[in-house]
Amino acid sequence: MNRLQKMARFNLIVILISLSLSAIAVGVLHFIVRQPIQRALGGFGFIGICGLLGFSPLLYKKTPGTVSFDERDLLIQRKTSLRAYSIFWFLFVLAAMAPFFVLGPDGAVSVKYLAAMVFGGMIIVMLVQSIVTLEEYGWRNKDNE
Amino acid sequence: MNRMQRIAWCQLGFVAAAAIFSVIAMAFFVRKYDYSAPEAWWLAAGYAVPLLILAVIAPPVIFRKRRGRVDCDERDLMIDCTAARIAFGAAFVFFIGVCVTTWIAVGVDSMIPAVWLTRIVYIGWVTAVIAHALTTVVFYSRGGLANE
């Protein structure tokens, strides 16, 4: 696997672990511990594991003296970022318009909803970039060294 | 100028016209109907939406592809792709900036009107259109007369 594939795989694993743990925590808190849903949503604290995403360029450093990035890698990187931003845009607009239609023009939303949109958007961008990178290169393709 | 440059300049023209129209309309609403400046601005910006929709739809129709001619090469595709990425990136940064600013300004436990979310989307869209057109203009301006 090349550097971008390794980083994408790492990012994907971290995001899936954080989302899974969050979903399990919310489910356990709400259905087993019988917490009201507003308190059970505290289980989303496991999303903080996504902070590890910042370490992926440090874990998979560029090897000095070798060419690790060519035109194909550049094209793939452009494709992944375009797709990630396209999906982010679509979901962000949906999330922004939904309260307006559900609550009406005179409704109000909590500022926490904005924060959820921001963090959710970042996670979606990283998730889609990782998936598309691995799709383009191949999930296990060793010919990309 | 090639087709993409003309489309980009036309889009910038429409956005500028929408901005000027909004300012004039805002002044009109404030003077005639005693609206406060922020209320008048958003009302005027709402009336400018048709101009912004035209900014997206009209230029590709006005500057149609000519049959039998090669209008687009790899460089044009690369510039278009780069402009799209920069447009998305600019909108992304804008969205994040506005959300974080709101979070800091009013506090996490406050409520905001639902209509503010639609305004964020509206301005983010305008940001993306401007960023796309500006990027296209700037990238082509580096090419000199080779753009014909």
Side-chain angles (χ1 to χ4, degrees):
Chain A
M1 280 191 160
N2 66 17
R3 182 174 179 253
L4 289 178
Q5 276 178 291
K6 288 174 186 167
M7 284 170 59
R9 183 182 59 177
F10 176 80
N11 291 342
L12 191 59
I13 290 169
V14 166
I15 290 171
L16 289 177
I17 287 174
S18 67
L19 288 176
S20 306
L21 285 175
S22 298
I24 290 168
V26 171
V28 164
L29 284 172
H30 185 59
F31 294 109
I32 298 175
V33 180
R34 300 278 179 201
Q35 296 269 356
I37 190 66
Q38 286 87 351
R39 296 199 67 179
L41 287 175
F44 274 115
F46 279 107
I47 292 285
I49 294 171
C50 286
L52 291 172
L53 295 174
F55 287 107
S56 58
L58 294 172
L59 287 171
Y60 302 104
K61 283 188 185 144
K62 284 182 195 176
T63 317
T66 58
V67 174
S68 58
F69 200 76
D70 59 9
E71 296 84 6
R72 177 175 170 247
D73 298 317
L74 187 62
L75 278 174
I76 289 174
Q77 198 178 45
R78 283 181 173 156
K79 194 185 269 190
T80 59
S81 51
L82 262 179
R83 286 197 194 166
Y85 284 132
S86 303
I87 291 174
F88 163 79
W89 178 286
F90 174 72
L91 291 174
F92 191 91
V93 170
L94 212 61
M97 299 303 286
F100 184 76
F101 287 106
V102 169
L103 301 172
D106 296 325
V109 294
S110 171
V111 173
K112 290 173 192 166
Y113 186 76
L114 273 182
M117 284 167 69
V118 167
F119 289 115
M122 285 180 180
I123 289 170
I124 285 165
V125 167
M126 297 298 292
L127 183 66
V128 173
Q129 275 186 328
S130 304
I131 291 172
V132 176
T133 300
L134 289 170
E135 274 291 329
E136 291 291 321
Y137 279 115
W139 291 81
R140 290 178 195 170
N141 194 342
K142 289 185 183 173
D143 293 338
N144 289 317
E145 300 296 330
Chain B
M1 277 193 201
N2 66 13
R3 182 176 176 254
M4 282 176 67
Q5 280 176 290
R6 290 191 179 109
I7 288 172
W9 278 113
C10 193
Q11 283 181 332
L12 286 173
F14 271 109
V15 171
I20 292 167
F21 173 82
S22 298
V23 169
I24 294 170
M26 178 182 117
F28 175 75
F29 291 136
V30 168
R31 275 237 154 147
K32 182 116 195 225
Y33 300 108
D34 287 329
Y35 279 103
S36 67
E39 279 177 335
W41 168 254
W42 288 113
L43 196 57
Y47 280 109
V49 165
L51 274 172
L52 293 169
I53 291 174
L54 276 176
V56 175
I57 295 173
V61 174
I62 295 168
F63 304 106
R64 281 195 193 99
K65 283 184 193 174
R66 288 170 284 190
R67 284 186 192 177
R69 287 192 58 165
V70 175
D71 269 338
C72 194
D73 61 6
E74 295 82 8
R75 177 172 172 250
D76 298 320
L77 284 175
M78 279 302 225
I79 288 174
D80 194 37
C81 188
T82 306
R85 285 173 71 226
I86 289 176
F88 275 128
F92 185 78
V93 168
F94 170 77
F95 286 143
I96 303 294
V98 165
C99 291
V100 171
T101 304
T102 306
W103 190 3
I104 292 169
V106 300
V108 178
D109 295 322
S110 304
M111 305 288 278
I112 55 166
V115 73
W116 269 101
L117 294 175
T118 60
R119 289 172 183 172
I120 291 171
V121 168
Y122 176 47
I123 299 176
W125 171 52
V126 174
T127 305
V129 170
I130 294 171
H132 188 279
L134 271 176
T135 305
T136 305
V137 163
V138 166
F139 271 63
Y140 274 114
S141 69
R142 292 177 183 176
L145 292 173
N147 293 321
E148 299 299 326

